[in-house]
Amino acid sequence: LEPDNPVFRLRHGRVLSLCGRYEKASDVLSQCFRLRSIRAEAWLEAAENSYRCGDGKAGSRFAKKVIDGKKIPEKLKSQAKDLLHKNG
């Protein structure tokens, strides 16, 4: 395992969320926000995690960060818009 690998951390957060461990997923993903290379992906995962645990307000806030962010790939912005539309 590579605990210092940013992609590993992001995937770890995703898996925790999918397993229903929303609070732990939130902790892991919030660590990813500090890493510029995966920040947008972490915001998107945080949005999905928030929606999964029933916190639509936080989910929308994270999705909007992706949509409004600068230098974020269109694919991620599109996924965030779809997520926001589906849940908002």
Side-chain angles (χ1 to χ4, degrees):
L1 295 176
E2 300 177 54
D4 293 330
N5 182 328
V7 175
F8 170 82
R9 287 184 186 206
L10 185 65
R11 289 178 181 165
H12 183 221
R14 179 183 305 144
V15 168
L16 287 167
S17 179
L18 290 170
C19 291
R21 298 190 57 203
Y22 307 118
E23 191 172 324
K24 181 65 176 168
S26 181
D27 291 343
V28 171
L29 293 170
S30 67
Q31 294 172 7
C32 296
F33 299 157
R34 293 182 234 141
L35 305 170
R36 186 175 297 202
S37 64
I38 59 167
R39 184 175 295 147
E41 290 92 339
W43 286 337
L44 188 59
E45 288 296 335
E48 292 197 36
N49 183 56
S50 297
Y51 285 127
R52 281 186 195 110
C53 74
D55 189 352
K57 191 173 186 178
S60 295
R61 188 176 71 246
F62 285 121
K64 287 176 183 175
K65 283 184 177 224
V66 176
I67 294 165
D68 296 337
K70 295 179 181 174
K71 297 184 180 179
I72 294 178
E74 267 313 305
K75 181 179 179 182
L76 288 179
K77 288 186 178 221
S78 178
Q79 289 174 327
K81 288 175 187 175
D82 290 345
L83 188 61
L84 190 60
H85 179 72
K86 183 173 101 177
N87 293 284

